[in-house]
Amino acid sequence: MDETDRKIIELLAEDSRRALADIGAVVGLAPSSVNERIRRLTASGAIRRFTVDTDPAALGLPMLVYLWLALREDADEAAFRRFAASHRRVLECHHVTGAWSYLVKLRVGAVTEIESVLAELKAGRFLGRSETVIVLSSAVAGPHVPAPGV
Amino acid sequence: MDETDRKIIELLAEDSRRALADIGAVVGLAPSSVNERIRRLTASGAIRRFTVDTDPAALGLPMLVYLWLALREDADEAAFRRFAASHRRVLECHHVTGAWSYLVKLRVGAVTEIESVLAELKAGRFLGRSETVIVLSSAVAGPHVPAPGV
DNA sequence: GCTGAAATCCCCATTTT
DNA sequence: AAAATGGGGATTTCAGC
């Protein structure tokens, strides 16, 4: 993982359909060499996958929501993690320092869906306390990669 | 944006290098038709870009951090947003409801960098109060797309 | 808007240094 | 590891429906 690898990843992040010859022209390598480096970066896991960054609003998920969670004392934490990992609306779920135990990032189509998620968390006996933070606007939005369908 | 378009986006999200013929076989269209739909989805902005999902740790950014910010009363909010948008370590920056005004997502190589970011926020006269939340582990991690280099 | 075929461009494997 | 080459395959375009 040298400076050339980093540059290649950066170029692919901008546009992963760029031709190997174009990338090679920027980093000063032949197309076949660029290809070999990309193969290695993918094999090593530095590149996880080739994907698309999409507009969540165009896909019917205009609302971004963060949930702070304190799990119940007796909650099955492994089950909670599985729940989060398999939930279509959960984009991220982090165990964090501080007063709350988990931070969950959601994308939803409308406010009513937030209540559904909280209801599911309650039904799974995961939820102790929670606080819902709604995103009003984003100065920096981050990429959106749609989850695999049901 | 019909069901076929959604399916195409989902397939591209999984692997954007899939051949048009493969995608066509799944959705029941000729390769040229799939190509035309992808062209339209890209032109309309539903697909923002073809990119790569990477391992942040492999790129030297193993730590994920969230910052809650209350801006100074007299802060230049537009300048703050420009600062956030141009900062290499800021992955997301959201104006939010609740007790804090902004939620900032950072990726850093080590804890010391958090202090640098807070110092920059102070130097720019943006920072009122702040709270730092460090991610210990992620049940759902979300994609990581490296920012364009300086 | 979809198809199918033609033309073009690109990837990929092999060989060589 | 990187470069050069050629064959196979993919994308892209366009005329027709």
Side-chain angles (χ1 to χ4, degrees), chain A residues 12-42:
Chain A
L12 290 174
E14 273 177 21
D15 177 8
S16 65
R17 290 196 296 187
R18 239 198 285 271
L20 299 176
D22 289 355
I23 297 170
V26 175
V27 301
L29 286 175
S32 55
S33 305
V34 176
N35 187 44
E36 173 61 13
R37 277 176 180 261
I38 292 174
R39 196 197 56 73
R40 276 208 319 274
L41 288 167
T42 306

Side-chain angles (χ1 to χ4, degrees), chain A:
Chain A
M1 172 67 71
D2 58 8
E3 208 44 59
T4 302
D5 283 337
R6 257 183 287 275
K7 187 69 191 171
I8 289 173
I9 287 178
E10 191 184 296
L11 291 166
L12 290 174
E14 273 177 21
D15 177 8
S16 65
R17 290 196 296 187
R18 239 198 285 271
L20 299 176
D22 289 355
I23 297 170
V26 175
V27 301
L29 286 175
S32 55
S33 305
V34 176
N35 187 44
E36 173 61 13
R37 277 176 180 261
I38 292 174
R39 196 197 56 73
R40 276 208 319 274
L41 288 167
T42 306
S44 74
I47 295 175
R48 290 190 170 135
R49 60 175 165 171
F50 284 70
T51 187
V52 283
D53 175 17
T54 62
D55 177 6
L59 293 162
L61 298 170
M63 288 193 68
L64 182 57
V65 180
Y66 280 91
L67 250 42
W68 291 102
L69 302 182
L71 296 194
R72 277 171 53 142
E73 281 290 338
D74 62 343
D76 180 346
E77 198 155 339
F80 167 70
R81 283 171 167 260
R82 283 194 299 273
F83 169 83
S86 65
H87 199 293
R88 283 176 60 72
R89 296 281 112 96
V90 174
L91 304 185
E92 299 177 28
C93 176
H94 308 290
H95 190 205
V96 293
T97 61
W100 301 91
S101 52
Y102 279 91
L103 176 60
V104 177
K105 181 184 181 180
L106 297 177
R107 275 254 173 223
V108 295
V111 273
T112 56
E113 286 183 51
I114 303 171
E115 205 171 4
S116 315
V117 174
L118 290 172
E120 290 173 67
L121 286 167
K122 245 184 165 172
R125 301 191 170 279
F126 303 125
L127 193 58
R129 289 177 312 129
S130 77
E131 201 170 296
T132 302
V133 175
I134 295 174
V135 171
L136 302 169
S137 69
S138 298
V140 188
H144 178 70
V145 175
V150 187

Side-chain angles (χ1 to χ4, degrees), chain B residues 118-142:
Chain B
L118 290 171
E120 289 174 67
L121 286 167
K122 245 182 164 174
R125 302 191 170 279
F126 302 126
L127 195 57
R129 288 178 312 131
S130 75
E131 201 169 297
T132 302
V133 175
I134 295 175
V135 172
L136 301 170
S137 69
S138 297
V140 188

